[in-house]
Amino acid sequence: MDEHLKRQYEELLCSYSREKREDHLYAAQQLSKWMMEQRIPPEEIISMHAAAVKKMLPDVPPAVVDMFDLLIEIMIGYGIAYKEHESLIDRQRELEYEIEVAVGMQQTLLPRSTPQLPGTEIGAVSMAANKMSGDYYNFVDHGEGKVGIALSDIIGKGIPAALCMSMIKYAMDVLVHNPPGPAEVLRNLNAVVERNVDPSMFITMVYGVYDSKNHTFRYATAGHEPGLLYRAEDGTFHDLKSRGLVLGVSRDTTYQEFQVQLKPGDAIILFSDGVTECRIDGQFLGRKRFKEIILKYLDKPAQEAVESIYQHIYELAKYKLKDDQTILLIRPKPVSDG
């Protein structure tokens, strides 16, 4: 240990033994902080204290000296445990930093805004239960007033889910140059996932193309929670047909396409299973209660509607999410809006 530190400690101990003042205690606190910053082991501090006491009191009883020796031995074990603890804290800080970086990267994978299509409204909200989300959505410009709409749920959390998300995103980007139909998009993505994702991870997905000229929605699904079709004419909901194996299980999987026609006032609502499986008073929200909540806000603009729907569910869940939640709403604009 540094000789200057030893002399400084001896002087402080000697001064305090003669006259106990507040400034001595303050100096001891500052010295303690400095020694912690320098990561001086506790057994060295005890040894320094024992040496200072012996120097100040040459006639200190041998029994007291033995007590100091025993305390030093105890502190050696404590010091080893303390170093391991500090090492774990350092590693935790590193992991937290890496997670923050991953969260930032994940946010760049999501669309910054919804597409602007003539005569069409699109709203989107996606909230993570924890720092990192397993939900992913994307919009792909198919040209001629058509937009591809993707929503996927990665069965898994944390950094592995974020890596899967980035893979799905960049695989979809390749498809933009020659956009195929929804079934072909899922077939191509399934091949990518099957080759590159661990077998323990699965990805559900719905991919559809909305045509703003004739307001049709052509789509295919891969094990994803069935979306909802709202018919304004009679105020009823209908489940969108949903067939197809989750991505990544079998390379040769094919997917079936479906199409629905929308009229003014109709709406398509796509969502992840974290919405209907949200716990409300110990029970799942369920599709029935979800429909009731949707009806409360369908008179709002699309983006306001999905945000209000999410907020309503969040409040019912007492501001605690067990799973990620994503809600997308697509509909023709009311005739009065042009």
Side-chain angles (χ1 to χ4, degrees), residues 203-257:
I203 302 173
T204 71
M205 190 170 190
V206 55
Y207 187 82
V209 177
Y210 190 87
D211 187 338
S212 64
K213 292 183 179 179
N214 54 31
H215 297 294
T216 59
F217 184 63
R218 185 164 55 102
Y219 69 95
T221 64
H224 196 81
E225 174 93 7
L228 295 170
L229 171 62
Y230 173 74
R231 292 297 190 188
E233 186 175 10
D234 54 8
T236 59
F237 285 97
H238 305 269
D239 293 345
L240 293 177
K241 293 181 180 179
S242 179
R243 296 176 187 169
L245 198 60
V246 297
L247 302 180
V249 174
S250 173
R251 182 174 299 184
D252 300 323
T253 301
T254 57
Y255 297 91
Q256 185 176 353
E257 287 188 6

Side-chain angles (χ1 to χ4, degrees), residues 43 46 66-76:
E43 68 270 17
I46 298 296
D66 294 339
M67 291 177 186
F68 275 121
D69 291 340
L70 180 63
L71 182 58
I72 289 171
E73 290 300 320
I74 293 173
M75 286 298 104
I76 289 174

